[in-house]
Amino acid sequence: MLELKPADYKAEKNPDWCPGCGDFGILSALQMALFELKKDPSRTVVFSGIGCSAKTPHYLNVYGVHTLHGRVLPIAQGAKLAHPHLTVVAVGGDGDGLGIGAGHFVAAGRRNVDMLYILYDNEVYGLTKGQAGPTLGFGEKTKSLPKPNPQGRINPLLLAFAAGYTWIGRGYAYDVKGLKELIKEGILHRGLAFLHVLQPCPTYNDLHTKEWFAPRLYRLQEEGYDPYVPEGLSPEELDGKMALFQAKAAEWGERIPVGVFWRAEAPTFEERLQAYLPRYPGVYPALGQREALDLEGLLREFAL
Amino acid sequence: MQEFTWRVGGPQGGGIETAATLFARAVAKGGWWVATKREYHSNIMGRHSYLDVRLSRKPVGAFREKVDFLVALDGETLARHLGEVRPGGALLYDPRALDLTVHKLPMLDHRAAEALAERFGKLDPSLKEVLQAYVEAGVQPLPYPFEEVADRIGGELGVPSLQARRTLNTIAVAASLRLLDFPLEPLLEALAHQFRGKVLELNQEVAKAVYREEVPRLPSQLSLNGYEPGRVYLTGAQAAALGKLAGGLRFQTYYPISPATDESVYLEAHTAFQGADVAVVQTEDEIAAVTMAIGAALTGARAATATSGPGFSLMAEGMGFAGMLEAPLVVTLYQRGGPSTGLPTRTEQGDLQFALRGGHGEYPRLVLASGDIEDAFLDAQKALAWAWRYQTVVVHLLDKFLASMAQSLPKEALKPLSLNGERRFPGREGRPEPFPRYAMAPDGISPFAPLGTPGSFYWMTSDEHDEVGHITEDPVVREAQMEKRMQKLQTARKEIPQEDQYTLFRDGEVLVLGFGTVKGTLLEALESLPGVGYLHLRLLWPFPEIAPLLEGKRLVTVEHNYSGQLADLVQQETLQRVHHRVVKYNGRPITLDEAVEALRAVLTKEAPERLVLRKGV
């Protein structure tokens, strides 16, 4: 077993985020979580989309794949399915995941591939200088916008729930310790975990700042909220769970909850693949050709 | 008789595909070489569809303009195919269809109806008049009451009418073969290949009953041609899928689209075979299909996707990403009529220039095109091997014609190739260290360390990057990385054997150039065109060095698109003028007769610079 220190997970490269950016907190939390879970850097991959948040992999000493705007989820799922023994974390911003990548966000929920997706939500497109993101509310005007936002907001938690994510959580970028625990839980969850991170953008978002968030945030778990949804609940019990989830996921304004909102059990896509690939995941695509192809056998149905 | 074409037409979903398969298998069992072509609408049920089975004493891969025998399972087939049966040929039809008029045919296009109205000089000609026109053209009418026969045989066998009528396709094939004096036994075998259990029993009984009926004797007779074991009969899409399996495919993604889907569905159905553990994932769109395949390829899995038309447009971004990451990726492109949704179920070679150039920026990509079913099998293997050898994108071009065409061929033609040449970093012991994945290499090929390679890690990014994969905008590093990537094209051009780049089937003062599915048609056309040569291009990019072969020749391109995309490419890459562009873009494959006629016009110097071929139903 490798003996690695927390600093071993940190790359030499210095982040080029703005001073005070919420991304720093998420990076530290992710680095600490990988350390505490004793993840082998050569068996761990952090994928990202495009944007400020998407630079995260470059600052971590594990395999890093910085992909295309909005496409991080299909790429990460492809890697995880082809090599199911990798630890896969995908990260990206709100524009990346819920704007250009919204279709992939929804489709990923239908599959339940065993990985964690962290969405950095600062409500703006930072790298292109502050245009409205898909989580900025209707009528809201950050200092970077010439006019109030004419489009409405997506609720990432409700969307993830509707799509079928089996673990749904929310953290706060400046609460590194709390965030680290959520990341660990998301990685350990068997299935697709979605972690929504509230991440102030000190440069472009003057509405939802550190000062704005601080008095509003509270921990769900400290108020006795139980996110666990065991298998075999009666329809009435499940309705109750869903109603509670929905109320908490929609709560925004004076009080904003963080913590684990939903934790359910469902077959992972890897398990579903076994229905037609009986040797999976023992024999998995990344292993390559292990035995000669029975071409004769395949040609039998075409024989004249 | 040296060759024969049998056509069956009817409503989509009405069993005509089964009929064509049965006919083709039966005659192939009787020793004939066969090729089957399929024409259908973008529709599930009801619209007109037809298939041609051409048989020959030698291997065959082209189709005739006129057929020898037409089976019309409905009135619309009679109306649409008027003029398509050669004089002396035969027409098998249900006399009940004659009660209809052209305007009572619900699915007949307006234009086709009007053409018939004009031809007959009246608003709504009846199918009796249409039949008369066949007879006047020297076609022998063979009335055959399919449904009545089904009911009668069903009655004799004690089978309800509804069930008996499901055997109409068998009846049509049995009646055709009986009329052609072909023995029953091969048909019974073909049925045994197609059906199981009680359904098989019923169909075989029906075929035997049809053979007991008295029929007129036709002038054309179809004798046996000497059965040889070891032949197979399969479609282009199946051949490409098998080729992928033989090439070590382990991960395939797709989004449903015609005509590409057949390949992925075949793979989904055949994953339990030894050595064929392929994960097939149906994605939310083609953007996800291509990027998910890339994600898989990054782990070292041989990965591919398959698409057509609009799907390929959506993949342009992902392909550039693979080029930048130097990820091995195969995109199998089944071309169809464009632009936009275009002609979803008809053929075209309109994506050549897009396959060569589509996407922003520049990256090395290889483009190869398959000419027939054997090529499709071999090329699918080469595409995967080259993607891994050069760590880049390989586009494998096919088209709808080839995808849905079926051919008989010797089993040995489907030869597994042992291609390798991957340059891979095997990993190392100990503490993981950053690996210089994008290290400089004179041939452009740095060792690839798939995700999960022990003892290492590094970064990959769609941004320009340095040797370990960190983002850089440094002009010197940019130049070096760009040059390293693009060098792969030179390396590929040097390494890929000439016979995989092009084949000069015959030289001639008039030299025809083609790629993809014009191959079979042109090779057969050449038999009646002395003085005409044919150069078939297999590799389209990097473009082979063929300029010396073209000098001083009268050059002709033959292709399925409007502008002559191959002609443009040849001119650009060889600086030789293409004198004639033979093009076709109505979605129907070029027939042998059309090709011969066009090339004759070139030979007699009567041809214009641009010849548009317009035949087809």
Side-chain angles (χ1 to χ4, degrees), chain B residues 65-292:
Chain B
E65 201 171 296
K66 299 216 171 181
V67 304
D68 300 286
F69 197 112
L70 171 63
V71 181
L73 286 178
D74 63 358
E76 184 172 341
T77 302
L78 277 177
R80 275 190 193 267
H81 295 271
L82 180 57
E84 300 263 316
V85 184
R86 70 160 177 79
L91 167 68
L92 189 70
Y93 67 98
D94 193 328
R96 286 205 325 179
L98 300 185
D99 299 338
L100 296 168
T101 62
V102 163
H103 280 292
K104 292 241 170 60
L105 300 169
M107 300 288 186
L108 191 68
D109 301 53
H110 212 65
R111 186 198 60 78
E114 275 180 6
L116 285 166
E118 203 183 312
R119 173 176 177 150
F120 289 96
K122 53 162 71 174
L123 271 178
D124 193 15
S126 76
L127 292 187
K128 283 198 186 78
E129 289 166 281
V130 172
L131 179 71
Q132 190 51 36
Y134 275 95
V135 175
E136 279 161 19
V139 177
Q140 180 173 358
L142 300 165
Y144 199 88
F146 297 109
E147 285 183 3
E148 249 180 71
V149 172
D151 289 349
R152 194 173 65 237
I153 298 174
E156 286 162 17
L157 299 170
V159 171
S161 161
L162 204 65
Q163 208 181 326
R165 288 188 184 188
R166 282 203 203 111
T167 65
L168 280 183
N169 39 24
T170 297
I171 294 175
V173 174
S176 303
L177 290 171
R178 171 84 171 116
L179 282 155
L180 292 164
D181 206 23
F182 192 76
L184 172 64
E185 197 49 39
L187 174 59
L188 296 179
E189 286 175 35
L191 286 166
H193 196 273
Q194 188 77 24
F195 301 114
R196 293 279 171 276
K198 285 218 177 310
V199 181
L200 168 63
E201 252 173 66
L202 173 63
N203 277 277
Q204 287 189 332
E205 285 311 313
V206 165
K208 286 179 200 163
V210 169
Y211 262 73
R212 283 194 293 269
E213 311 221 331
E214 279 306 311
V215 289
R217 196 175 159 82
L218 294 186
S220 300
Q221 300 296 305
L222 209 60
S223 53
L224 292 171
N225 195 38
Y227 172 70
E228 281 173 35
R231 288 185 194 166
V232 288
Y233 175 74
L234 74 170
T235 68
Q238 288 164 337
L242 282 169
K244 282 184 166 175
L245 293 178
L249 181 76
R250 283 292 168 275
F251 198 91
Q252 166 107 347
T253 55
Y254 79 105
Y255 181 78
I257 191 165
S258 296
T261 313
D262 290 352
E263 179 192 295
S264 300
V265 171
Y266 172 86
L267 290 171
E268 267 176 346
H270 291 81
T271 47
F273 271 83
Q274 183 192 316
D277 285 337
V278 184
V280 183
V281 183
Q282 181 188 326
T283 56
E284 57 272 29
D285 54 32
E286 286 89 350
I287 297 172
V290 71
T291 51
M292 193 179 282

